[in-house]
Amino acid sequence: MAEQSGKAFDFKLFQRLISYTNPYRLTFYFVGLSAILLSVVTVLRPYILQITIDESIIPKDNDLLFYYIALMFGILMLEVIFQFLFIFFANWLGQQVVRDLRINLFGHMIAFKKQYYDQSAVGRLVTRAVSDIETISSIFSQGLFMIISDLLKMLVIMGFMLYQSWELALIVFSILPLILYATRVFQKKMKSAFEEVRTQVSNLNSFVQERITGMKIVQLFTREETEYQRFKSINEKHRKAWVKTVWYNSIFFPIAEMSSSITIGLIVWFGGLQAAQGDGLSLGIVIAFIELAQMLFRPLRQIADKFNTLQMGMVAANRVFKILDTESRIINDGTKIIEALKGDIRFENVRFSYVKDEEVLKGVSFKVKHGETVAIVGATGAGKSTIINLLSRFYEIDGGSIYIDQVDITKINLKSLRDNIALVLQDVFLFADTILNNITLYNPEISEEDVIAAAKQIGIHDFIMTLPSGYHYNVKERGAMLSSGQRQLISFLRAYVSDPGILVLDEATSSIDSHSEQLIQDATNKITQGRTSIVIAHRLATIRKADTIIVMDQGKIVEQGSHDELLTIDQGYYKNLYDVQFATVLE
């Protein structure tokens, strides 16, 4: 989608946004009708005031005066009713659009490739999904319909002015070009200013979100003062962006107010002389024109203010639609549904790079038979975890093929593929929810009884029951109420209850205590029986019983075989690595 920075208003973007009101067309038209009725009723007040002065106050007709007062009260009540209907349904429509747009955005975001999130700041995405979309709602509640209502009021007022007195109307209209020009300049300046505001809001959100998440590192390395100063700098840019909008407002509104005052002075001067000389203008018309002029200029000022709201909403919409227009999802055109997974895995000359021309995997080929446990070892950055990411299709490979049960994984339905692969990571992520919900992830096919039975088999049921509320214990954000070992056990149980055809343990025991490691080792022996398992580990003692060990270095497989076979290779990569770890343990 094209940028709109060079335009005062992007009609294509606006048209796209309005399309979200299609399911609510009846309400949309009703709000428009309310705006029309409101503009007609509003202009009746100065007209009733005019005839009240000319036909009852000046002639001193008390009976007629009371009649006009009652009539004016009735018109005021009608205006209040139409105003209520207009404001309520305009806001209701805005919230409906926001709901639908946010659902659409979130549904689009959860299908993105993992690579998209690798390159995108979490704080910015949160800003798009929350505050930016909320800003869009103001287009309907305070922007679009308010502007339409004000424009209709101005047209009705201008027509009524010409009908009543073309001389006074020309006086009023002569000031309009100044107001219109100032409004146009104001709109362009505010458009640029609000884009800068939204940018700084995103930067601020991103910075705060990351520092709060990583507060332990900030405090551990005593970076409080450094991060505080960086925050002050970012916050200052945010302040300056807002001050720019205040500066433009402080220039425009005094100009608009001064123009209104000059217009009223000219009406009093010219109309008063005409009325005093009896040249066709009555006192009621002069007073009515004073109110009409204020009613005409007030919407102009409000339109400028509402246009600010509209511009902010359009800038926010532009940012949201950029995400909606982003094509960064795994192509899921596979039709194969896995009914009963055996677990045969085959990599054939697989090549992959996170960054173009910087290969992480350089022609990797290996086979895993059904029911085998295969371990992958190697230095950090060798490509071990990348193999797992590709097997689950978190990323698309650059070349080669990956097969499961002799079927290319691109031919398998993505959900069916991932439903049959359970992954336990070193860095466990738990949601701010109960232990039970973190295990089942709200899968209706997994009952609490299933979870309890699985926990007993693994041997962690007693640990869970020591927590307040047991399986219904809320672990808070990212599982902060649990130790790293406890989080790892919960993650393992989450993988276990899904009854996977392929089990993947990615450094699953590298950061936990000996007791927890023993629990996982016992559980691993149970869950891997009859299942294909891939274990990635730095601690070689945990993989000695693997059927096959694949040794990787710089994106290539350099050795392959059983533990005993690899130890027989003189000066072999695995043997050297094992000797170093064994010597370290002895020391």
Side-chain angles (χ1 to χ4, degrees), residues 124-172:
R124 286 187 173 86
L125 294 177
V126 171
T127 300
R128 301 294 178 269
V130 181
S131 61
D132 275 345
I133 288 187
E134 201 59 45
T135 302
I136 291 173
S137 72
S138 63
I139 290 179
F140 299 94
S141 61
Q142 303 175 37
L144 172 64
F145 291 116
M146 288 293 187
I147 291 175
I148 292 174
S149 177
D150 287 342
L151 286 174
L152 286 173
K153 287 179 184 178
M154 290 173 62
L155 290 174
V156 173
I157 289 170
M158 291 170 70
F160 183 74
M161 281 181 166
L162 288 170
Y163 173 76
Q164 288 294 92
S165 171
W166 65 269
E167 297 102 326
L168 290 179
L170 287 179
I171 291 175
V172 176

Side-chain angles (χ1 to χ4, degrees), residues 317-417:
N318 188 44
R319 294 173 181 271
V320 170
F321 285 136
K322 277 184 178 179
I323 296 180
L324 287 173
D325 290 338
T326 299
E327 292 299 330
S328 180
R329 59 176 63 197
I330 299 294
I331 299 174
N332 185 23
D333 54 6
T335 57
K336 174 71 175 177
I337 303 297
I338 301 175
E339 300 292 346
L341 182 72
K342 286 181 57 182
D344 292 330
I345 301 172
R346 186 168 87 250
F347 275 57
E348 285 190 357
N349 196 32
V350 174
R351 295 183 175 276
F352 175 75
S353 56
Y354 293 103
V355 180
K356 189 176 180 181
D357 298 328
E358 296 182 16
E359 281 193 332
V360 177
L361 295 185
K362 305 171 183 177
V364 171
S365 299
F366 64 88
K367 295 180 182 180
V368 183
K369 295 181 181 179
H370 163 67
E372 284 188 342
T373 297
V374 174
I376 304 176
V377 300
T380 301
K384 305 185 300 297
S385 296
T386 300
I387 288 178
I388 305 309
N389 287 330
L390 297 182
L391 181 65
S392 302
R393 288 199 73 195
F394 289 130
Y395 300 88
E396 298 281 23
I397 60 178
D398 298 335
S401 300
I402 302 174
Y403 298 90
I404 292 181
D405 291 350
Q406 314 307 317
V407 180
D408 191 313
I409 63 172
T410 60
K411 306 298 182 184
I412 303 174
N413 177 270
L414 193 59
K415 183 179 186 304
S416 180
L417 172 68

